[in-house]
Structure formats: C-alpha cells, structure tokens
Amino acid sequence: LGPYDATIRAPFIVSMPGTLPEGKVCKTPVGGVDLVPTFFAFAGLKLPWEMHGHDLTPLLRNPDADWPHPVLMT
C-alpha cells in the first residue's frame, strides 16, 4: 500500500432515492475532478468554464454504462 492509497481508493457513495438506482456498485474509477461537473448537472446549471472533469450522471444512472474517460492517478 502506498502513502496515497486512502486517497485513490476512497469509496464515492451517492444516494438519491427515486432518482438513481439503489444498491448498485459501479466498478469504474472516477476522479475528484468529476464531482463539480456532476453537481452542476444535477443542479441544472451550466459550467462557468471548461473543466477537466466529466459529468458522472451516465454512470450514476447506469453503473454498468460504458465510460470512455480514463482517470489519471499519480
């Protein structure tokens, strides 16, 4: 285990009963940079500028969805 193991292996738990499937686990790695675009999307807001992250809504709605965005972990 490396010194940053807790940072890169932390679970990301989302609960939105009635909106997202319950009891599902997504095995696709995502990064912290994806959080802001996701929060903006759920709030119905446009991003104020281009960001590096991606909206995770497709994965949250379908944890088995194809996800073409790799995650860089250093």
Side-chain angles (χ1 to χ4, degrees), residues 33-55:
V33 298
D34 300 320
L35 298 179
V36 173
T38 304
F39 296 157
F40 268 70
F42 272 100
L45 301 172
K46 293 180 83 172
L47 292 174
W49 54 81
E50 186 177 350
M51 297 187 180
H52 293 286
H54 298 90
D55 175 13

Side-chain angles (χ1 to χ4, degrees), residues 7 11 14 31 34 36-37 51 53 56 65 74:
T7 303
V14 177
D34 300 320
V36 173
M51 297 187 180
L56 298 173
T74 58

